[in-house]
Each structure stands twice: as structure tokens, then as C-alpha cells.
Amino acid sequence: MEDVSKKVLKEIKEKRVVMTPKWHFAVFKILTFFLLGLLLLLGVFIFSLIYHLIFNFELGGIMGRNFSAQMIIRGLPYFWFLVLGIAIILWVLEFLKTSFGYKIKTGFVVFSLIFITFIFGFGLYSLGTGEILENFMENNFPTYGNIVKTPKSFWLQPEKGLLSGKIVNLNEEIENLTIKDWEEKSWEVNYAGAVILKGVVLKNRKKVKIIGKENGDCCFEAEEIRAWPREKWGNSDEDSD
Amino acid sequence: MLDQKKYENKSDEEIVKMTIENSDYYFYLTKRYEGKLLRYIQRISGVSEEVGHDILQEVFLKVYQNLLSFDFKLKFSSWIYRIARNTAISYWRKNKKDWNNFYLEDNEKLKNSLEAQGNMEKELLRKINAENVKKIMGELKPVHREVLTLKFLEDKNYEEISDIIKKPIGTVATLIFRAKKDFRAVLDKVKIDLE
């Protein structure tokens, strides 16, 4: 039987095989933890954005309407779910490779990660981070609206009974208002008989969202008017004087 | 050549520290693990002795190159087995040879270990010969074959197996349970053939 030990020792000497220096492993470890930190942060930010999108849809509030279940399903931010899913998978795979990660059950790691990003994501959402990210994406990526159903695009589906925009004219006598939607199209909205929810101020330059029925081109019959959420950052819900 | 007997009582970890200072001491480490690792490599990858030597040489070189990354909180044997396992699996995946090598002398050891565990009937185990054991092991899933090899042939405990295959201890316990069940299922099939 050939002596492998002698062969190995001979090869080490003849080919001057060296031990990889310790700093190599230290750098690799630092990069790994940096990546883990980055992915965790990404997960938290994405969760805050998902909260922002879903809470702005007020999905629970439109149940029972026509097409509501379909709209909810179509309106969910699948793109962000996918990105979040990829970030979570990458994080778990990298974590399990660490010197202590493999000792913990994978299910527990996944659950803990989702729980932490869920909680911290909500925290960031409360601080308005979701809104900042949403605005950043909308302003810097023209195709963003095609991939993700933003609150503005979700609340601008007049054919499905959802309309939103800024009030440009108000006629209280005939209970009619004119709004300009996010695509600068004007709509005549009749709100006689509509429920005006708490917090809504019908005044020029106020942003609102309306649930009702499209009534021909540029006309809308309101059933319910809600206030557009007051933005924590960026533009206020009305132009300043 | 350095005196092997002089360093017989030194622990692996002590020899690692000595190797870091002077690479000549690496000879003692490799000598200690030569036989065990060659058998282990052959058991999990089913390669011939010749190929096993090549893989073993690669393992020893990798171990040497990465010696400064060795974490002394871990057992050296678990660490070197892990490297051997990964290298053997990489080779097996690249070459995808049929698993057809199993040490015939392992037959008795495996049988006795399983019998001692109380999972298999003595009567049944007595009927199987080396060829049957080889057949049974060949029909097991690779992960089951691996944990049975580590537990019953390499005499590793759960913690060591966990460190070698990088899975939680709970998962190791489940794998061994399923491996024995799998072995039993194949054994019942073989029993039918024997009858």
C-alpha cells in the first residue's frame, strides 16, 4: 500500500505548499457577516415597504365590493414578496454555513428571521420608511408602476370602482366635485348619497380616494369617500399656499 | 524520519499546533488518519482503493492548506472527516460512479452494532451474509448510508456526526432513525429473497 503520508509531505515540500494565512479566513468571515447584515437590513426594509403598500390599499376596507377579492389578489406586492423570499433564502443558506449556524434547526432559523424582519419592518414602517422607499422607487424607476401595484395605481382603477386624486373644484350645492387623478385626467364626481368617512375634508387641493361606479367617460358616481393618507415625508396632502 | 512512537500520546490538537510551527509534524497527523479516512472515503463514495488514495491525498493537502482556519473548539477528527466527506462527495458527484464497494469485514461490525441497538431480529441478521449487507447498503439513500457508516462503522457520536455533516444534532438523530428504518425495510425485502 502506497504511503500517502510520505507522498503528501513530499508534495508539500517540493511544491512549497503553504498554509493559507489566517487573515484570509478573518476577511472571509467579516464579509460573510457583512452580507448577512446587509440581507437582514434588506429584509427589514422590504417588510416596511410591504406594510406601506398593503395598509394603503386598505384591503380589508374594500371587501364585499364587486371584484374586491380579485383586486386584493392582483394588488398584492408579489414582486416584493419574491425579493423578500430570495433575501431570506440567501440569508438562511449563508447562516447555515457559519461555524455555529448549522447547529440550529433550519426551521427555527427561518422562523426567527421572518419574525425579526416582520417586527423591525413594522417599526420602520411606523417611522415612514416604507413610504420613503415607495417614493424613491416610483420616482427613480419608470417601470416600477408596471411591476408593483402602488397605492396610487391601485386606487386608480375607475373601471373597478376605485378612483383617487386631488380635488380641483367643489360644488356643494349639487354635491359635485372635480378631481384630477394621478395621470392628470379630470373626473366629475357626484357624491350625493355617498358616505363621507371620518377625516375627509372636502376642500380644494385635498387628496381623496373614492369607491363607487364609473359613469361614462370622466364621470364617477361616489359611494364612499376616504381621505388619502397623510404623508409623513415628502409632499403634504395639499399644495402649500 | 521523525519518531512516530514519540508522538503517539500527543492529541490531534497538540500535533496541529506543532505542525503550524513545523510542517514536518504533519506526517504524524496524516499517518494517524490514513487508514481510517481511506476506508471512510471508500465507504461513502464506493471508489476503488487506488482512487481512494488520490482523494485522500487531496484531502490531506486541503487540510494542510486550511490548517490555520481550524477552530480548536471543534474536535480535529470531526474537522478532518468533514473535509474528507466533502471531497469524496465532490468526486462522486463529478464522476457519478455506481456505489458498489463496501468492505466485507464491515459486515460483522454493522450487524453487531444494529443487533446491539435492538432494532433488528438476531435471527434475521444471522441469515444475511456480506453480499447481502453490501446489497442492502447499496440500496439505501446516500444520506442514510452516510449516517449509518459514521455511527456504526466510524463509531462517531451524535455531536461528532453533527459537526461532520453540518446538521443539527436533532436532525442527525432523525436521520439515523430513518436510516435504520430504511435498512430494515430493505432487509425485509432481502429476507424474502433469502426465503
Side-chain angles (χ1 to χ4, degrees):
Chain A
M1 180 171 136
E2 57 180 307
D3 195 330
V4 177
S5 300
K6 283 185 183 162
K7 272 179 95 176
V8 166
L9 203 60
K10 191 178 170 198
E11 191 170 339
I12 287 170
K13 290 197 184 299
E14 282 178 3
K15 291 188 181 173
R16 294 173 198 261
V17 177
V18 293
M19 293 182 200
T20 306
K22 241 182 176 169
W23 67 263
H24 267 231
F25 304 109
V27 167
F28 184 76
K29 220 176 191 175
I30 290 167
L31 288 175
T32 303
F33 283 108
F34 178 73
L35 179 67
L36 286 173
L38 211 66
L39 287 169
L40 183 66
L41 215 60
L42 180 69
V44 170
F45 277 120
I46 292 173
F47 249 121
S48 78
L49 194 128
I50 288 173
Y51 280 125
H52 170 74
L53 291 170
I54 290 178
F55 287 167
N56 264 295
F57 292 164
E58 296 176 37
L59 296 174
I62 63 165
M63 287 300 287
R65 310 272 174 182
N66 282 341
F67 309 114
S68 55
Q70 244 182 47
M71 282 195 293
I72 288 166
I73 290 163
R74 281 192 193 149
L76 289 173
Y78 295 106
F79 171 75
W80 290 117
F81 286 155
L82 180 68
V83 175
L84 183 67
I86 291 169
I88 287 173
I89 289 169
L90 285 173
W91 194 95
V92 171
L93 288 174
E94 279 307 309
F95 180 78
L96 291 179
K97 283 188 207 166
T98 61
S99 58
F100 51 88
Y102 70 86
K103 294 182 187 181
I104 307 168
K105 285 213 159 188
T106 309
F108 182 77
V109 172
V110 173
F111 174 79
S112 304
L113 177 66
I114 293 173
F115 182 76
I116 289 167
T117 48
F118 190 80
I119 298 294
F120 282 97
F122 186 78
L124 280 190
Y125 158 74
S126 313
L127 295 172
T129 311
E131 185 191 319
I132 294 172
L133 288 170
E134 177 63 24
N135 291 336
F136 176 80
M137 295 300 291
E138 263 190 300
N139 296 333
N140 292 285
F141 299 96
T143 54
Y144 179 67
N146 299 335
I147 304 166
V148 177
K149 213 69 178 168
T150 59
K152 284 182 179 172
S153 63
F154 184 83
W155 281 98
L156 189 59
Q157 300 183 80
E159 70 284 359
K160 300 251 164 77
L162 301 177
L163 185 64
S164 56
K166 199 187 287 188
I167 299 173
V168 294
N169 190 46
L170 182 67
N171 190 332
E172 286 177 327
E173 276 176 28
I174 57 168
E175 291 181 299
N176 204 78
L177 54 91
T178 310
I179 71 160
K180 221 173 213 175
D181 69 23
W182 316 115
E183 290 166 7
E184 299 295 309
K185 184 179 171 181
S186 291
W187 292 84
E188 292 300 318
V189 180
N190 185 278
Y191 64 90
V195 174
I196 298 171
L197 293 190
K198 195 178 167 184
V200 174
V201 176
L202 291 180
K203 210 170 108 175
N204 276 355
R205 296 197 299 272
K206 285 288 186 184
K207 293 177 187 171
V208 289
K209 41 189 166 184
I210 306 165
I211 300 172
K213 219 187 294 180
E214 197 178 13
N215 196 4
D217 194 35
C218 308
C219 290
F220 204 82
E221 197 83 32
E223 290 169 23
E224 193 179 298
I225 301 178
R226 301 176 181 186
W228 189 261
R230 183 169 179 82
E231 291 164 357
K232 287 189 177 73
W233 307 97
N235 300 328
S236 88
D237 62 347
E238 59 181 315
D239 291 338
S240 51
D241 286 335
Chain B
M1 185 56 74
L2 296 160
D3 184 3
Q4 238 176 294
K5 288 206 170 113
K6 194 176 164 190
Y7 299 95
E8 251 170 28
N9 294 327
K10 293 263 182 206
S11 69
D12 291 341
E13 289 75 21
E14 282 172 319
I15 301 181
V16 166
K17 286 180 183 164
M18 286 157 65
T19 305
I20 290 170
E21 300 300 320
N22 181 350
S23 61
D24 286 342
Y25 289 107
Y26 191 54
F27 176 80
Y28 297 115
L29 222 39
T30 54
K31 227 30 198 169
R32 224 176 244 195
Y33 282 94
E34 220 174 55
K36 300 189 230 197
L37 284 184
L38 178 62
R39 278 193 296 276
Y40 174 61
I41 287 164
Q42 285 189 265
R43 280 167 183 158
I44 63 167
S45 62
V47 296
S48 65
E49 196 176 319
E50 196 187 332
V51 174
H53 275 122
D54 291 338
I55 298 174
L56 184 61
Q57 197 171 329
E58 196 182 328
V59 168
F60 282 150
L61 284 169
K62 274 187 190 171
V63 167
Y64 181 79
Q65 286 170 317
N66 291 287
L67 210 56
L68 291 174
S69 76
F70 171 62
D71 182 357
F72 285 88
K73 285 184 233 138
L74 199 65
K75 271 177 93 168
F76 180 78
S77 66
S78 302
W79 189 67
I80 198 170
Y81 264 82
R82 187 196 289 171
I83 294 173
R85 174 193 182 254
N86 293 341
T87 311
I89 288 174
S90 298
Y91 178 87
W92 183 79
R93 277 185 186 148
K94 273 187 219 161
N95 297 277
K96 280 276 192 231
K97 291 263 153 75
D98 284 334
W99 192 94
N100 57 11
N101 279 307
F102 191 71
Y103 279 106
L104 296 187
E105 62 260 34
D106 284 343
N107 169 42
E108 279 308 312
K109 189 174 178 186
L110 184 60
K111 274 195 344 179
N112 293 339
S113 300
L114 287 167
E115 209 178 295
Q117 291 272 310
N119 297 95
M120 316 280 170
E121 295 129 13
K122 284 181 191 172
E123 199 53 48
L124 199 56
L125 282 168
R126 244 191 303 127
K127 282 189 182 172
I128 26 173
N129 58 26
E131 274 305 307
N132 292 143
V133 172
K134 185 173 148 179
K135 191 178 172 183
I136 294 167
M137 288 297 271
E139 288 195 31
L140 297 182
K141 285 184 196 168
V143 66
H144 289 166
R145 187 164 58 238
E146 183 180 25
V147 293
L148 284 183
T149 301
L150 283 168
K151 179 85 180 89
F152 297 111
L153 298 171
E154 303 293 334
D155 297 320
K156 297 294 176 193
N157 61 36
Y158 281 25
E159 196 181 340
E160 287 167 320
I161 298 173
S162 163
D163 289 332
I164 292 167
I165 68 173
K166 283 190 112 175
K167 290 209 190 298
I169 288 179
T171 305
V172 168
T174 305
L175 282 172
I176 290 173
F177 173 78
R178 286 184 188 155
K180 287 195 274 190
K181 212 173 150 189
D182 197 6
F183 189 97
R184 177 62 203 250
V186 178
L187 181 62
D188 285 344
K189 229 170 62 177
V190 170
K191 174 195 163 199
I192 293 163
D193 291 343
L194 290 172
E195 285 165 359

